[in-house]
Structure formats: C-alpha cells, structure tokens
Amino acid sequence: MGRRLSRRFFALWLTFGVMGLFIIGCAGSPVRTQPMPPLPPPPTPSPAPSPRLPEPPPAAALPPAPSVPPEAPSLVRAFPQFVAVIAQPGDTFSSLAEKYLQDSSLDWVISEFNGSDRLSPGEELIIPLKYRGRGGLSLSGYQTVPVLVYHKFAKKSTDLMTLAEGAFEEQMRFLKENGYRVVSIDAFFDFLDYRIPLPPKSVVITSDDGWRSFYDIAFPILKRYGYPATLFVYTDFISGRRGALDWRTLAEMSRAGVDIQSHTKTHRYLDRKNAQESFPEYFEALRREITQAADQIQKKLNKKVSYLAYPYGDTNSLTIAVLQKLGYRGAFTVERGSNPFFSHPYRIRRSMIYGNFDLQDFERNLTVFFPF
C-alpha cells in the first residue's frame, strides 16, 4: 500500500512539475501575432458628367494687321525738375505745355528754355517742370510789363481819345509779329505777387468807360489775334448814354473772355471832395462809388469785381484803404510807364494810346526790360 501511495504521489508530482514548467515557459516567451493586412482604400466616386455646352461657331478669319513702323519714344527720361522729350509729329509747344505743365499758355516756358521759336518732329527738348525767373530778375536787369489803355474807336480817328480801326489793327499785328505776349490782368497780378513768371515781352490791354465802339471795332480784332483784354466800365454810363454799351452786349463779351471790371459808378474824382461836401459826406460818396458799381456788375454779369481803374487816373491813401478793406486785388492809374514786379498794386501805371499815335509812338510805350 505504501508503494502504491509513493507511486501515486510521484505521478502527481511529475504531472504538476511538467505543467509548471510549461506555464513558466509560456509566460517567458513573447506572443507572436500575425500583422493584419492593410485595408484597401475607399473607392473614389467618379464625378458626375458635366453637361456639354454647344460649341461656338468658328470665328471669321481676321485680315493680317498692317505693318506699322514703331514710333520714336516721346518721353526720353524724367527727372524731378524736368523731362527730356523727343517731339512727335503734331506736337506743339502748347500741346507739350498742356501735357507736362497742365497749362497750354505756358508754351513760352518750353520755347524760351530751349531757345527755339519753332518745333520740328524729332527735335530733342528739355521741359522744365518748375517755374523759374519769378519777377523777371536777371544779372543784367529786371522785367517790366506795360499796361496799355484805350478809350474810343472809330473807322477813322476823329480826336485824341479815339483810335482809328486801321491803327488798332496795325498795333495788334505789331505785337504778334514782334514776339509780344498779351496776358490777362490776373496773370499780371500773379507776376506782381511773385507767384509765376511771365513771358519776357508781356503786355496787358485795357479799355476804359464802356463805349459801344469797343464791341464794334476792338473786340473782333482782339478775338482774331486771341488776345485777352479788360474793359473797365462805369455803371451809370452803361445803357444810359448814346454810344454806350448795354448789359446784354457786356454779357456776350464776358462769355467770350473779355474781363469786365469797375471804373466806379459815376466816374467822379475819388481823390478829392466836391465843393460842398463835408468829409463824412465825401467818405460815404467814395464808398458808394466803389461798392455800388461792383454790386451792379455782380448782379448783371454774375461776376466778382477785383480791380478798379481810377477815374482820371487819380487816387489817394483813403481810396486805397477803402479798396483794400473791400478786398480789391489792385487798381490802375494813367501814369505812363511799365510795371516791375515790385510795383504798388494800387498804383499800377498805364500808358494811354492816343488817336494821333503812329507805330513808333506805340512802340515807345512797350518797355519790357529795365537794365541795371
């Protein structure tokens, strides 16, 4: 019996020992797993077929373009103060001034800077972009501007204050043929204010009173030459006397470029009292002469008055003070002579052109430079 137990115990021990070794061996060995095969990518849905647009009809064949020779470059090079240009066919000093200086009336700037009076295609030019020569100053002297004043016109001269049509035509042609440039009063005062230069041979044309003959004779000639002009009128004279202009005709000329300014209300002396006036009465009359004329021009022509021509050319410090107070830019005498940029703006000289002047007399009133 004891042997049987020993054998049975031995068999159990052997069984459990083998099982323990098996378990220990299994625990110490890594488990080998087979990698899973990769999943196949999801199928890409095929796009829905887009509707087919009808094919456009075939275009007609274009004719071959003509061969055009390339244009020469107009702008050679730009600099801060000037541009270098090669003139193209059709270019003029005026068109180049309009393009590069934004003002066709500055054509003289280009002409003078290049020392040329005529422009040819292919010509090389320098166009200054900034004003030079304000005040017309140079090492040899300074520029002066003559202001001419006319009164009446007629087919033939009849008196000292009346100029014949043929003489006026001859004078305007003389200005054109001898290189003078007629400028407006506004440009002239810009020159006096040292804001802009003027052409070296600048002239201003004015006429006083408001005679009908200015419209009949002078106005067509001025238009033909393209000259600006200023007409100083005294308003009590307009439509009030034989031979005077009317407001309708003044409006027509104003629309055409004639500058209408004031010659006072009644054309009385501004620099002195009348015989029976007290000083307060004189001062009030002076103020009325200036303001009522300006108000009438404003009402009839819708135009602000900025300049005055003194009746008989006479003024005084009180009149000038009133003009300054009222905002006038300047005023004109009939003292003969030309005006440099430092002229008194309320004592501008004007040269009267008389009916008995010949062309030499006229030329003597065209002083445009004063040498040192």
Side-chain angles (χ1 to χ4, degrees):
M1 179 139 184
R3 289 180 180 177
R4 290 177 182 173
L5 290 172
S6 299
R7 289 175 182 172
R8 186 174 294 175
F9 178 79
F10 177 76
L12 288 172
W13 176 83
L14 182 61
T15 301
F16 281 107
V18 171
M19 290 178 64
L21 292 174
F22 178 77
I23 291 171
I24 292 171
C26 289
S29 302
V31 178
R32 294 182 181 179
T33 59
Q34 293 292 332
M36 294 184 65
L39 294 175
T44 303
S46 58
S50 58
R52 293 177 61 84
L53 298 175
E55 295 290 336
L62 296 174
S67 61
V68 179
E71 293 184 357
S74 59
L75 177 61
V76 176
R77 193 172 179 185
F79 298 89
Q81 296 189 0
F82 65 90
V83 291
V85 168
I86 297 177
Q88 300 297 300
D91 281 345
T92 64
F93 289 124
S94 294
S95 67
L96 293 175
E98 179 67 32
K99 181 176 182 180
Y100 294 105
L101 305 178
Q102 290 74 54
D103 187 347
S104 62
S105 69
L106 294 175
D107 54 349
W108 66 271
V109 173
I110 304 174
S111 173
E112 184 187 48
F113 193 88
N114 291 273
S116 174
D117 294 330
R118 296 182 180 180
L119 186 60
S120 303
E123 184 175 346
E124 298 177 354
L125 297 171
I126 300 296
I127 301 178
L129 300 178
K130 295 187 177 180
Y131 291 130
R132 298 179 184 273
R134 290 181 175 90
L137 291 166
S138 70
L139 294 176
S140 57
Y142 54 84
Q143 181 179 0
T144 62
V145 180
V147 180
L148 310 179
V149 54
Y150 298 88
H151 285 81
K152 292 187 289 184
F153 302 87
K155 291 296 182 180
K156 294 184 178 181
S157 180
T158 56
D159 57 54
L160 196 64
M161 304 300 290
T162 303
L163 187 69
E165 180 178 15
F168 186 66
E169 164 73 37
E170 184 182 34
Q171 292 170 7
M172 298 302 101
R173 184 170 63 250
F174 179 87
L175 296 177
K176 191 78 169 181
E177 293 176 350
N178 289 275
Y180 292 90
R181 300 288 293 262
V182 180
V183 298
S184 69
I185 278 187
D186 285 334
F188 170 59
F189 270 82
D190 287 342
F191 167 80
L192 295 182
D193 291 342
Y194 210 70
R195 293 173 55 189
I196 65 168
L198 285 180
K201 299 174 74 173
S202 291
V203 180
V204 176
I205 295 176
T206 69
S207 181
D208 283 2
D209 297 341
W211 294 96
R212 171 79 190 189
S213 59
F214 179 87
Y215 176 79
D216 294 334
I217 293 175
F219 180 52
I221 295 173
L222 291 168
K223 284 200 301 183
R224 187 158 62 248
Y225 284 95
Y227 291 162
T230 296
L231 180 59
F232 291 99
V233 300
Y234 66 99
T235 52
D236 278 6
F237 181 58
I238 302 304
S239 302
R241 283 180 54 182
R242 182 180 178 184
L245 286 162
D246 55 46
W247 289 108
R248 181 188 59 80
T249 307
L250 284 172
E252 176 190 340
M253 290 194 292
S254 181
R255 289 191 298 269
V258 175
D259 185 23
I260 312 298
Q261 296 291 335
S262 175
H263 200 28
T264 72
K265 181 178 184 294
T266 68
H267 203 279
R268 67 159 282 173
Y269 284 101
L270 299 182
D271 66 328
R272 67 199 71 171
K273 298 187 300 179
N274 290 337
Q276 304 301 320
E277 279 182 328
S278 66
F279 183 82
E281 290 172 337
Y282 160 63
F283 178 79
E284 181 59 25
L286 173 63
R287 189 191 63 81
R288 284 197 309 268
E289 284 289 330
I290 297 171
T291 57
Q292 290 184 7
D295 291 345
Q296 187 80 333
I297 293 172
Q298 173 73 48
K299 177 182 176 182
K300 296 290 188 179
L301 304 179
N302 192 28
K303 174 182 176 57
K304 182 180 183 297
V305 172
S306 300
Y307 308 100
L308 181 132
Y310 301 115
Y312 313 104
D314 296 329
T315 188
N316 59 15
S317 58
L318 178 60
T319 303
I320 292 173
V322 171
L323 291 173
Q324 291 174 318
K325 182 71 174 179
L326 293 173
Y328 277 68
R329 194 177 183 189
F332 295 79
T333 71
V334 288
E335 181 181 350
R336 195 173 297 278
S338 288
N339 302 277
F341 76 93
F342 49 84
S343 298
H344 193 306
Y346 297 92
R347 295 183 183 271
I348 298 300
R349 296 183 180 92
R350 289 192 300 170
S351 298
M352 293 182 66
I353 306 301
Y354 292 125
N356 61 355
F357 273 15
D358 59 22
L359 206 54
Q360 290 182 339
D361 296 324
F362 176 72
E363 188 176 5
R364 278 194 286 268
N365 288 276
L366 297 176
T367 302
V368 294
F369 190 77
F370 187 87
F372 290 136

